[in-house]
């Protein structure tokens, strides 16, 4: 009796797993044959179609990677665009990493650096701003 009970339970689990796998394969075949009828036949709450994109998103979440609203490139380009609009002749360079912005290069005054720092802080997605730029006084001849 002690050996019979685990045998029955494992048999039920095995049959259930095989049945679910066949059902999933049948659903995949029918959705590739006629995707419009599959979508209209099931309500949105019952659809369980998994795409490879979902799998990679789950993988990214399980690796505990930080989720940011903007990519580094998008954030950097937005900061550069704002600086060019407000300070058109600046010679400042921008580096972005995980929402942290570093301003490098040269500025004509401290006021320009302060204004640049203020403008960068206004951009959505910026966590911190570090100013490593130097003030270069133009030569008057």
């Amino acid at each position: 009796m002690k050996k019979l009970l685990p045998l029955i339970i494992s048999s039920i689990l095995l049959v259930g797993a095989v049945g679910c796998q066949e059902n999933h394969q049948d659903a995949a075949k029918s959705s590739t044959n006629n995707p419009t009828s599959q979508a209209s036949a099931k309500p949105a709450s019952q659809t369980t179609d998994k795409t490879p994109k979902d799998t990679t998103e789950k993988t990214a979440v399980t690796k505990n990677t930080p989720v940011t609203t903007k990519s580094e490139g998008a954030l950097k380009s937005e900061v550069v665009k704002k600086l060019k609009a407000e300070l058109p002749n600046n010679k400042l360079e921008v580096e972005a990493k995980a929402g942290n912005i570093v301003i490098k290069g040269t500025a004509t005054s401290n006021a320009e650096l302060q204004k640049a720092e203020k403008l960068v802080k206004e951009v959505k997605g910026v966590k911190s701003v570090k100013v490593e730029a130097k003030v270069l006084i133009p030569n008057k001849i």
Side-chain angles (χ1 to χ4, degrees):
M1 184 69 179
K2 288 183 180 181
K3 292 182 181 180
L4 184 61
L5 188 58
L7 179 65
I8 293 173
I9 291 175
S10 62
S11 299
I12 292 171
L13 290 174
L14 182 63
V15 169
V18 170
C20 288
Q21 189 173 11
E22 287 177 5
N23 188 17
H24 179 69
Q25 289 173 351
D26 292 341
K29 287 179 184 176
S30 65
S31 66
T32 56
N33 292 341
N34 193 358
T36 55
S37 66
Q38 181 72 15
S40 62
K42 287 186 175 181
S45 62
Q46 291 181 354
T47 57
T48 57
D49 187 28
K50 299 285 183 186
T51 61
K53 183 178 178 183
D54 292 338
T55 307
T56 50
E57 288 176 3
K58 287 182 181 179
T59 305
V61 171
T62 56
K63 289 183 180 178
N64 293 327
T65 55
V67 178
T68 57
T69 55
K70 293 183 184 177
S71 68
E72 291 177 12
L75 184 61
K76 180 180 176 180
S77 64
E78 190 172 336
V79 168
V80 168
K81 190 164 108 177
K82 185 155 187 151
L83 286 176
K84 291 287 182 191
E86 298 291 326
L87 302 169
N89 295 324
N90 73 57
K91 297 191 191 289
L92 299 173
E93 299 170 12
V94 177
E95 291 181 5
K97 187 168 185 178
N100 301 319
I101 304 294
V102 179
I103 301 174
K104 294 183 177 184
T106 58
T108 56
S109 67
N110 281 332
E112 183 180 352
L113 285 179
Q114 290 172 350
K115 185 173 182 181
E117 183 178 7
K118 180 184 171 195
L119 291 170
V120 171
K121 286 181 180 178
E122 292 175 356
V123 175
K124 190 173 184 176
V126 173
K127 294 177 184 174
S128 68
V129 179
K130 184 176 181 182
V131 179
E132 294 180 355
K134 296 180 182 179
V135 177
L136 187 66
I137 301 171
N139 294 334
K140 293 182 181 180
I141 299 177

